[in-house]
Amino acid sequence: MTFSIVGRCARSGMLGVAITTSSISVGARCPHARSGVGAVATQNITDPDLGPVLLDALESGLGAREALEHVTDGRKNLAWRQLTVVDRLGQTAAWTGEHILGTHGESAGEDCYAAGNLLANTGVPAAMTASFGGNAGLHLADRLLHALEAGLAAGGEAGDVHSAALLVAHVQPFPLVDLRVDWTDEDAVGALRRLWERYEPQMNDYLTRAVDPAAAPSYGVPGDE
C-alpha cells in the first residue's frame, strides 16, 4: 500500500519524508517533520496521531529508538502500524507490526530509513536507502525524491500508486517544502517530481516573504509594483 523514506541532511540539519501510496491524499496522513527535532512516517493502516506523538517524544530529548519504544509501549493496535523515525542527529528506528499488509520490508542507511508494505518485492527499501546515500550533495528534498524514484524503479508497490508527498523541515516552525499529489491515475511520483522542479526555484523567495517581506522579490501579480 505504501513505501517511504525518512531522512536527515547532516550538512544543513534539514529533516524530511518522501512517501507514495495507492490510496488518496497520503500527504495529509502519513509524513511528519519538525525543525530541529526529527521526521516520522506512519503508514500501512495509518494512525496519523503517531506522527506528532513521536515528534513530541523526540523533542523531549529522547533519541529515535528511545522515542519509538516510549510511544509503542502498551499502545493499542500497533500490530497494524508501520513506523519509521529519524532524529536530529541522524539516528533511526522503525516498527513493523505483525499484521502489516502483503510483502513488506525495511532498510536502514546513514541518516535515513526506508520501509514499505504491499511491495512488489522486499528489495524496494534497500534501493531507496542506497539512492539516498549516493546523493549526499543534493538538497534534502531532492535526495528524498530520488530515493522515492529509486524505490519505484526497483518495483515499488504491487499495484499502482496514486498519491505522493514530499515534506522537509529546516529552521522555521513551518515546512520549507510541503508538496503533495493527492490523486492521479498516472505516475504520482512523476507528478511530485514536476511539482518540485517548479517549486525549487521559488522556494527561497517564499521563505523570504514569510520572514522578511520588505526584502522579498516581486510577487508577479496584478497591482504588484
Side-chain angles (χ1 to χ4, degrees), residues 4-152:
S4 67
I5 184 166
V6 296
R8 164 191 176 257
C9 175
R11 292 179 292 106
S12 67
M14 292 180 188
L15 297 147
V17 187
I19 188 167
T20 188
T21 191
S22 57
S23 58
I24 195 168
S25 301
V26 68
R29 301 184 306 277
C30 298
H32 307 265
R34 190 175 297 172
S35 173
V37 176
V40 175
T42 73
Q43 56 199 47
N44 195 65
I45 309 300
T46 307
D47 178 2
D49 186 53
L50 288 170
V53 169
L54 274 164
L55 291 173
D56 287 346
L58 292 175
E59 193 163 19
S60 76
L62 298 178
R65 186 174 300 279
E66 293 78 16
L68 189 62
E69 290 173 353
H70 173 73
V71 169
T72 56
D73 184 27
R75 185 173 289 268
K76 293 181 179 180
N77 299 319
L78 283 172
W80 286 266
R81 317 301 187 197
Q82 190 173 48
L83 307 167
T84 55
V85 186
V86 62
D87 66 26
R88 64 181 182 84
L89 299 178
Q91 302 172 52
T92 60
W95 170 274
T96 295
E98 62 187 25
H99 294 326
I100 298 304
L101 298 171
T103 299
H104 52 84
E106 303 173 9
S107 177
E110 186 173 358
D111 291 323
C112 68
Y113 209 109
N117 54 80
L118 277 178
L119 298 172
N121 62 77
T122 58
V124 170
M128 298 172 74
T129 54
S131 171
F132 188 88
N135 286 299
L138 300 180
H139 189 282
L140 179 63
D142 212 7
R143 292 179 73 185
L144 292 168
L145 188 48
H146 274 291
L148 203 63
E149 292 167 336
L152 190 63

Side-chain angles (χ1 to χ4, degrees), residues 141-221:
D142 212 7
R143 292 179 73 185
L144 292 168
L145 188 48
H146 274 291
L148 203 63
E149 292 167 336
L152 190 63
E157 281 197 34
D160 294 334
V161 294
H162 294 293
S163 67
L166 181 62
L167 177 66
V168 173
H170 192 200
V171 176
Q172 305 300 328
F174 55 84
L176 177 65
V177 180
D178 188 357
L179 302 178
R180 304 178 182 187
V181 176
D182 283 339
W183 181 267
T184 180
D185 288 325
E186 296 183 5
D187 194 13
V189 175
L192 187 62
R193 164 62 70 182
R194 292 189 290 275
L195 277 177
W196 167 244
E197 289 174 350
R198 285 178 175 270
Y199 184 70
E200 183 185 15
Q202 307 175 67
M203 177 175 60
N204 289 326
D205 291 344
Y206 281 109
L207 181 61
T208 302
R209 288 167 185 166
V211 301
D212 188 7
S218 63
Y219 304 106
V221 295

